[in-house]
């Protein structure tokens, strides 16, 4: 995986809920490419028309609140978003993003400084966020050690596969 | 030995890891379930994990309730994936006609028990906290790993203790209490925390009302909404429990990260205005808001007490000409009891339409979708933009008494206006 991500910013406010990320009426599939065309359509009809692979989504506090639907991070990733930066995340979305391999960062200062349309570079390993348009850099809150191990193992699926093998021994 | 809050005490009984807020613990899971939307991705990831058998077929379940009876071909295909997997695994599964909305059906049938850890691939799994279980929602991949391993990881939550003082009037239900809490805390006031509810006045609240409250802990960002199991809970589970269990209570002197109190003597019937559950106002203040539809049902308010409260207001009266009233009993037990007691007749005579148990309109699935510019008073749990249909529609959350009174007046109404 490329550890340096660069893209244009799509910025939203506080309490972006899973119903607007991917409305329930489209949940008769869980395939990212089928979900993606409807991602964010209820609050931003331009997003899916103009988003480019690698773009970055920025949200306020409590990002991903609401439903447990894993379809939400799948739709965001399916739309081409490489990473989400927010002030804070709702807990189920946080777990889901890690589990499906959508990189997420918590960094209130970066959210405050970044504007829609800015070009931002994220270093996944160092956890640094650079707004190239504004020439500013911030460092995101680090993940707890267990989650770093989980992410390092490639996510929950390979982690569980390994654990299952240990149990079977 | 430290003093544990209820969430900490339940986690401690399920882990070998040190338990303190913020720690991540590996825990055993007593029951793990998914629905017809969240199970198909779980089934896919279960296979990707190389898993073959669920850890215990009597502790793993799929409940088809969101798009069932199937609303279109795509949802029928999803339901078939669920059915085929459940049959192959020999795990718990109930077909349409015998199932109900998951968070009403599982506690009703004795699958959610005090002191247990319950994981569900649905955010309103926290409903189980009414029975004293640490029940919490996760996504599909997390659920798949639990089906495979029988364990998961949990971050030990800080606990926000809510003390209810005084006692509620007859016009106040669980929905009014939890909306008062969310109004006070805000939609992220309990983010990553467990809510622990206390207060003598709560004993006056039927178990159904406590389920409404635990159900909406997630709407304040909570991981769980917990009640200390009392005699009413133990009497309920004694008759129904499908497994042996051990009730767990919080320790005296436990450390709470946050505390709030609500005065029940002063509480009036309330609503949450669009588009967040924290926009709480008294129903009285909102009398000028006209409505097009009323929905009474969902995992929040589709239980027996909810139907009874609605009937108390609607029996012998006619709903407003301009209003559509949709009533959905949350399970067949509720449906059949409503039939026996004559409630279904009371409701249809008032002008309601009764639908088979389903999540349907709550998540904008089907059976009650709103057009642009329409407004619905709903007993469900979320009033987000576009949740029940058009992004230009509006949802006002309320308990069944406010909802029923609103159906009569064609506008938001306080149930005391009916007298």
């Amino acid at each position: 995986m490329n550890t340096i991500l660069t893209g244009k910013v799509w910025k939203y406010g506080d309490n972006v809920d899973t119903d607007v990320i991917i409305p329930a009426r489209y949940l008769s599939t869980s395939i990212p490419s089928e979900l993606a065309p409807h991602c964010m359509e209820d609050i931003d009809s331009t997003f899916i028309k103009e988003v480019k692979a690698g773009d970055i989504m920025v949200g306020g506090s409590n990002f991903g609140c609401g439903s447990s639907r894993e379809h939400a991070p799948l739709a965001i990733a399916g739309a081409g978003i490489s990473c989400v930066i927010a002030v804070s995340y709702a807990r189920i979305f946080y777990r889901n993003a890690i589990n499906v391999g959508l990189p997420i960062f918590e960094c209130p200062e970066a959210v405050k400084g970044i504007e829609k349309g800015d070009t931002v570079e994220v270093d996944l390993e160092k956890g640094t966020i650079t707004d190239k348009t504004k020439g500013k850099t911030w460092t995101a809150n680090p993940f707890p050690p267990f989650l770093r191990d989980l992410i390092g193992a490639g996510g929950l699926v390979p982690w569980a596969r390994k654990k299952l093998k240990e149990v079977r021994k | 030995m430290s003093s544990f809050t209820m969430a900490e005490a339940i986690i401690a009984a399920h882990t070998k890891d040190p338990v303190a807020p913020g720690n991540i613990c590996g825990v055993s899971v007593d029951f793990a379930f998914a629905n017809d939307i969240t199970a198909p991705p779980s089934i896919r990831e279960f296979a990707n994990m190389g898993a073959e058998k669920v850890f215990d077929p009597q502790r793993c379940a799929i409940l088809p309730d969101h798009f069932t009876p199937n609303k279109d071909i795509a949802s029928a295909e999803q339901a078939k994936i669920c059915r085929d997997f459940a049959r192959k695994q020999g795990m718990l599964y109930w077909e349409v006609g015998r199932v109900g909305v998951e968070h009403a059906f599982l506690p009703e049938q004795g699958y959610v028990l005090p002191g247990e850890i319950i994981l569900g691939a649905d955010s309103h799994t926290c409903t189980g906290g009414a029975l004293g279980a640490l029940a919490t929602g996760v996504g599909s991949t997390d659920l798949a790993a639990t089906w495979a391993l029988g364990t998961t990881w949990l971050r030990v939550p800080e606990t926000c203790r809510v003390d209810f003082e005084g006692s509620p009037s007859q016009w106040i239900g669980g929905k009014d209490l939890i909306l008062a809490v969310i109004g006070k805390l805000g939609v992220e006031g309990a983010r990553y925390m467990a809510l622990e509810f206390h207060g003598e006045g709560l004993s006056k609240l039927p178990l159904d009302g406590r389920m409404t409250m635990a159900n909406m802990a997630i709407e304040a960002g909570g991981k769980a909404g917990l009640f200390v199991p009392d005699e009413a809970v133990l009497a309920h589970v004694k008759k129904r429990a499908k497994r042996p269990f051990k009730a767990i209570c919080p320790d005296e002197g436990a450390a709470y990260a946050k505390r709030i109190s609500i005065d029940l003597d002063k509480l009036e019937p309330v609503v949450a205005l669009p588009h967040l559950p924290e926009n709480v106002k008294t129903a009285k203040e909102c009398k000028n808001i006209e409505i097009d539809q009323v929905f009474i049902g969902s995992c929040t308010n589709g239980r027996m007490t909810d139907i009874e409260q609605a009937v108390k207001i609607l029996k012998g009266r006619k709903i407003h000409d301009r209003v559509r009233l949709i009533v959905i009993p949350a399970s067949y037990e509720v449906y059949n009891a409503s039939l026996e007691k004559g409630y279904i007749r009371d409701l249809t005579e008032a002008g309601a339409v009764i639908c088979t148990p389903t999540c349907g309109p709550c998540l904008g699935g089907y059976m009650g979708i709103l057009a642009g510019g329409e407004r619905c008073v709903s007993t469900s749990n979320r009033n987000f933009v576009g949740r029940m249909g058009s992004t230009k529609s509006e949802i006002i959350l309320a308990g069944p008494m406010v909802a029923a009174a609103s159906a009569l007046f064609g506008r938001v109404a306080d149930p005391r206006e009916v007298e």
Side-chain angles (χ1 to χ4, degrees):
Chain A
M1 191 182 186
N2 188 2
T3 58
I4 309 274
L5 309 169
T6 309
K8 265 199 161 168
V9 166
W10 293 85
K11 190 169 178 182
Y12 301 98
D14 294 339
N15 303 314
V16 171
D17 62 73
T18 51
D19 276 274
V20 300
I21 296 171
I22 183 71
R25 57 186 178 274
Y26 302 120
L27 297 187
S28 42
T29 175
S30 56
I31 298 165
S33 60
E34 292 176 10
L35 295 166
H38 305 292
C39 187
M40 309 305 280
E41 73 176 25
D42 281 0
I43 52 165
D44 182 358
S45 56
T46 62
F47 171 75
I48 202 63
K49 286 183 213 143
E50 294 170 21
V51 65
K52 298 227 164 42
D55 281 359
I56 287 166
M57 191 177 278
V58 175
S61 62
N62 204 26
F63 188 93
C65 61
S67 162
S68 69
R69 64 187 73 154
E70 204 163 284
H71 310 64
L74 289 176
I76 291 173
I81 292 290
S82 63
C83 153
V84 183
I85 303 163
V87 172
S88 61
Y89 294 89
R91 55 164 287 275
I92 305 177
F93 182 91
Y94 182 87
R95 285 183 82 123
N96 284 347
I98 290 167
N99 289 345
V100 305
L102 172 69
I104 53 169
F105 290 97
E106 225 175 56
C107 190
E109 301 78 21
V111 171
K112 212 171 152 194
I114 295 170
E115 280 180 281
K116 190 188 170 186
D118 286 359
T119 299
V120 163
E121 185 181 279
V122 176
D123 186 323
L124 290 182
E125 277 181 359
K126 291 186 191 145
T128 53
I129 299 163
T130 304
D131 188 325
K132 301 191 107 172
T133 311
K134 302 228 160 52
K136 280 186 193 160
T137 298
W138 303 273
T139 304
N141 298 332
F143 286 107
F146 172 78
L147 289 186
R148 264 180 274 164
D149 290 348
L150 191 65
I151 295 164
L156 186 64
V157 171
W159 184 86
R161 195 184 298 134
K162 200 172 136 223
K163 195 131 195 228
L164 260 180
K165 275 187 195 152
E166 285 167 19
V167 175
R168 280 179 191 148
K169 264 180 202 166
Chain B
M1 198 101 175
S2 48
S3 295
F4 286 139
T5 67
M6 192 145 160
E8 290 160 6
I10 296 174
I11 291 175
H14 289 77
T15 188
K16 290 184 184 124
D17 297 326
V19 175
N23 286 9
I24 288 177
C25 296
V27 298
S28 57
V29 173
D30 296 294
F31 193 76
F33 64 96
N35 59 52
D36 52 308
I37 289 179
T38 58
S42 291
I43 293 164
R44 188 172 68 209
E45 299 309 333
F46 185 82
N48 286 339
M49 286 166 190
E52 283 155 17
K53 290 261 164 226
V54 297
F55 76 96
D56 180 344
Q58 291 307 304
R59 290 173 184 268
C60 296
I62 299 178
L63 297 95
D65 60 358
H66 274 58
F67 288 159
T68 54
N70 294 132
K71 68 169 182 129
D72 55 20
I73 296 167
S75 64
E77 297 290 349
Q78 288 200 133
K80 187 168 184 298
I81 292 170
C82 298
R83 191 178 293 128
D84 290 350
F85 179 79
R87 282 185 189 148
K88 196 176 133 205
Q89 291 289 334
M91 66 199 282
L92 295 169
Y93 174 83
W94 302 268
E95 199 47 86
V96 164
R98 282 142 279 170
V99 72
V101 176
E102 53 200 298
H103 312 301
F105 181 83
L106 292 173
E108 175 189 272
Q109 298 296 321
Y111 289 101
V112 174
L113 300 166
E116 291 194 332
I117 291 184
I118 311 276
L119 226 60
D122 190 284
S123 60
H124 292 106
T125 301
C126 47
T127 312
L131 300 180
L134 182 71
T136 195
V138 293
S140 296
T141 303
D142 267 322
L143 205 266
T146 303
W147 275 349
L149 297 163
T151 59
T152 191
W153 62 270
L154 292 179
R155 179 186 169 281
V156 181
E158 288 80 17
T159 296
C160 172
R161 179 175 165 137
V162 182
D163 286 288
F164 290 97
E165 282 146 20
S167 111
S169 84
Q170 60 165 319
W171 302 109
I172 295 293
K175 188 60 150 290
D176 302 290
L177 269 63
I178 191 64
L179 286 180
V181 170
I182 298 166
K184 202 157 184 171
L185 283 173
V187 290
E188 62 167 333
R191 203 165 45 86
Y192 286 93
M193 299 176 115
L195 286 170
E196 199 180 287
F197 301 113
H198 290 263
E200 300 260 318
L202 294 180
S203 59
K204 290 207 175 148
L205 212 63
L207 217 48
D208 289 353
R210 299 186 213 174
M211 289 197 212
T212 305
M213 295 171 66
N215 175 282
M216 288 187 73
I218 178 80
E219 297 341 314
K223 181 181 207 135
L226 292 155
F227 285 79
V228 182
D230 64 0
E231 279 169 26
V233 168
L234 297 175
H236 170 93
V237 290
K238 225 170 158 184
K239 283 184 286 187
R240 298 157 183 262
K242 293 289 194 286
R243 303 179 287 273
F245 66 91
K246 192 170 170 280
I248 292 176
C249 298
D251 295 323
E252 292 270 340
Y256 295 96
K258 206 169 182 174
R259 289 184 83 133
I260 63 164
S261 64
I262 305 269
D263 187 350
L264 291 176
D265 292 327
K266 287 191 188 138
L267 193 60
E268 296 193 51
V270 291
V271 297
L273 296 180
H275 292 286
L276 280 178
E278 70 182 21
N279 297 336
V280 177
K281 298 261 186 284
T282 62
K284 223 162 57 181
E285 284 175 279
C286 302
K287 277 185 185 173
N288 58 348
I289 303 179
E290 292 195 346
I291 57 166
D292 305 280
Q293 180 168 301
V294 172
F295 166 45
I296 298 174
S298 88
C299 61
T300 312
N301 281 112
R303 296 185 184 78
M304 207 54 225
T305 313
D306 304 307
I307 306 286
E308 275 166 5
Q309 288 176 348
V311 167
K312 190 169 86 179
I313 286 166
L314 292 166
K315 188 178 177 169
R317 299 188 171 97
K318 295 278 180 203
I319 64 169
H320 196 280
D321 281 346
R322 212 185 44 243
V323 172
R324 314 178 291 268
L325 170 60
I326 299 166
V327 179
I328 307 187
S331 72
Y332 283 92
E333 191 171 298
V334 176
Y335 200 118
N336 289 335
S338 300
L339 266 177
E340 277 163 30
K341 293 185 174 177
Y343 294 160
I344 300 285
R345 185 74 189 242
D346 294 336
L347 292 166
T348 55
E349 280 183 352
V353 58
I354 315 290
C355 301
T356 187
T358 175
C359 302
C362 168
L363 74 159
Y366 69 132
M367 288 219 243
I369 303 302
L370 300 172
E374 290 193 323
R375 201 177 278 135
C376 178
V377 169
S378 172
T379 66
S380 59
N381 37 46
R382 291 194 176 125
N383 54 357
F384 298 156
V385 172
R387 171 84 176 172
M388 206 182 269
S390 167
T391 55
K392 302 210 166 52
S393 64
E394 292 185 343
I395 305 161
I396 296 169
L397 302 178
M401 288 184 273
V402 170
S406 301
L408 292 176
F409 289 94
R411 58 165 173 82
V412 173
D414 184 310
R416 291 170 294 188
E417 290 180 64
V418 178
E419 285 287 278

